[in-house]
Amino acid sequence: MEVEAQLSSNTRKALLVLSCVILSIGHCGGPLVMRQYFVRGGERIWFSSWLETAGWPLILVPLIITYMHRRTKQGSHAKLFFMKPPLFVASAVIGVLTALDDYLYAYGVAKLPVSTIALIIASQLAFTAAFAFLLVKQKFTSYSVNAIFLLSIGAGVLALHTSSDRPANESNKEYYLGFFMTLAAAALYGFILPLVELTYKKAKQAITYSLVMEIQMVMCFFATVFCTVGMLVNNDFQAIPREAKEYELGEAKYYLVVVWNGIMWQCFYLGAIGVIFSASSLVAGIVLAVLLPVTEILAVIFFHEKFQAEKGVSLALSLWGFVSYFYGEIKDSKKKENPTPETELPQTVNP
């Protein structure tokens, strides 16, 4: 049994590492590709929201592979899908919330530089911690409270000094609206992550990684349907061919950007639910916070964005908040692994 448990632990750790890598690719690449769409002539926000989840058919590939693997072992008794109706409904509801979050985020990307967006999204860790406490009874420590405070201050610094960061030909109203839409997206996704974890815990069936991929597919499918309605109302389907012809980089590269947009965001969502499955929603929030400097550097390199003093202060506060939280988690885990004599229960001696 010890060998089996160890194998299970090793597999979970390997899956966590793989999920973190996939999440990193999506989280760093997604905003850059989406911003590339907007700065080169793209204007369709509902279309960009749609692209964030439209890559859901890609999940069918690993699902088919895992099914074929089960088929070789179980024969005709192998199940094609594991999801039960209650879990399907829950996944559909989370999918609609994801679609709303996608729209808020896409609006922000259309109006703000990527480096600014990354710093605002860093506040997501604070929202994730708060909602994790409410939904899955995540415990707070002095370190996590300090992290939430620092991340909130970091976002506040950006809110007070935004005029120098405003792109050309954009009004202050549009810029501030983009700022608060992005902040709302951070808050909503900070709610979605613990909600997914709560769904795992409340599901009256065993949660396997195959089932996790099924949940992700259903979530993305309903999010895509919701955004499709938005595209229909906004006449995006009629505008796409015209927009492709007028795109600065050319029609072929327009569709290349669109395809990679969908791929990158599917990596993001698949990685996020993998981290939640292997660890917790809070760990997913921490990984996203860790990637903040990477996104900042890539934005400066690829888009030559300005990195003013207020962004430096916000970045420092965000990193300080992350280090504070991570240090607290390490200290807490060590305390659990090596309890002090005072915390151990007294042993009773049988007469």
Side-chain angles (χ1 to χ4, degrees):
M1 291 296 292
E2 282 186 23
V3 174
E4 187 177 343
Q6 184 65 35
L7 180 63
S8 176
S9 176
N10 288 337
T11 302
R12 186 171 287 270
K13 288 178 181 178
L15 184 58
L16 177 59
V17 171
L18 178 61
S19 297
C20 286
V21 171
I22 296 173
L23 177 59
S24 301
I25 293 171
H27 183 63
C28 294
L32 294 173
V33 178
M34 182 180 285
R35 184 62 181 169
Q36 178 76 354
Y37 164 79
F38 284 113
V39 298
R40 297 297 183 177
E43 298 178 348
R44 321 307 296 187
I45 295 176
W46 273 114
F47 179 44
S48 294
S49 308
W50 183 83
L51 288 172
E52 290 186 58
T53 53
W56 66 265
L58 293 173
I59 304 176
L60 288 171
V61 176
L63 281 175
I64 291 172
I65 292 173
T66 54
Y67 171 72
M68 295 304 293
H69 179 68
R70 291 196 305 272
R71 183 89 176 177
T72 57
K73 290 187 174 183
Q74 302 174 13
S76 58
H77 297 289
K79 287 185 177 180
L80 183 60
F81 291 106
F82 291 99
M83 186 178 291
K84 294 180 179 179
L87 192 54
F88 178 86
V89 173
S91 300
V93 172
I94 296 174
V96 173
L97 291 176
T98 300
L100 292 173
D101 183 70
D102 290 345
Y103 180 81
L104 293 171
Y105 183 81
Y107 192 97
V109 175
K111 304 299 180 183
L112 306 177
V114 174
S115 54
T116 302
I117 291 168
L119 290 168
I120 298 171
I121 291 297
S123 64
Q124 180 179 296
L125 179 58
F127 292 114
T128 302
F131 287 120
F133 171 76
L134 294 173
L135 296 179
V136 294
K137 309 302 179 185
Q138 182 77 40
K139 293 183 179 179
F140 276 118
T141 65
S142 59
Y143 299 100
S144 59
V145 171
N146 184 50
I148 292 170
F149 174 76
L150 290 169
L151 289 166
S152 301
I153 294 298
V157 169
L158 283 180
L160 294 173
H161 301 277
T162 53
S163 58
S164 60
D165 195 32
R166 181 167 54 87
N169 303 320
E170 187 173 294
S171 66
N172 283 328
K173 180 182 178 181
E174 288 179 319
Y175 187 89
Y176 281 111
L177 185 58
F179 182 94
F180 288 110
M181 290 282 258
T182 306
L183 188 61
L188 182 54
Y189 201 66
F191 171 71
I192 290 172
L193 288 176
L195 187 61
V196 171
E197 185 178 356
L198 180 65
T199 302
Y200 290 167
K201 290 185 175 183
K202 294 294 184 180
K204 297 179 180 180
Q205 60 181 115
I207 302 295
T208 63
Y209 194 63
S210 293
L211 181 57
V212 166
M213 288 191 290
E214 290 177 20
I215 293 171
Q216 175 62 19
M217 186 176 69
V218 172
M219 284 169 51
C220 286
F221 173 77
F222 278 93
T224 305
V225 170
F226 186 91
C227 291
T228 301
V229 175
M231 289 180 67
L232 290 170
V233 173
N234 203 42
N235 297 320
D236 281 8
F237 287 105
Q238 292 89 331
I240 288 172
R242 182 181 69 254
E243 190 174 73
K245 291 178 181 178
E246 298 173 355
Y247 197 62
E248 286 183 19
L249 300 178
E251 189 172 356
K253 288 187 178 179
Y254 173 87
Y255 289 110
L256 189 63
V257 168
V258 165
V259 170
W260 276 105
N261 207 337
I263 293 173
M264 286 295 179
W265 285 114
Q266 203 53 229
C267 287
F268 172 82
Y269 286 117
L270 190 59
I273 63 163
V275 173
I276 295 172
F277 170 74
S278 307
S280 69
S281 58
L282 212 48
V283 172
I286 292 170
V287 173
L288 295 177
V290 175
L291 296 171
L292 171 63
V294 180
T295 308
E296 289 288 315
I297 293 169
L298 290 174
V300 172
I301 292 173
F302 288 106
F303 296 110
H304 307 289
E305 294 180 358
K306 297 178 182 178
F307 196 82
Q308 301 96 330
E310 60 269 17
K311 285 188 180 180
V313 172
S314 183
L315 177 60
L317 289 171
S318 298
L319 291 176
W320 184 7
F322 159 70
V323 171
S324 173
Y325 184 84
F326 196 61
Y327 176 76
E329 287 296 300
I330 293 174
K331 194 173 181 180
D332 187 56
S333 63
K334 284 184 178 180
K335 188 183 293 183
K336 289 179 180 178
E337 290 176 3
N338 304 302
T340 58
E342 290 79 4
T343 60
E344 291 179 338
L345 293 174
Q347 295 181 351
T348 56
V349 180
N350 293 327

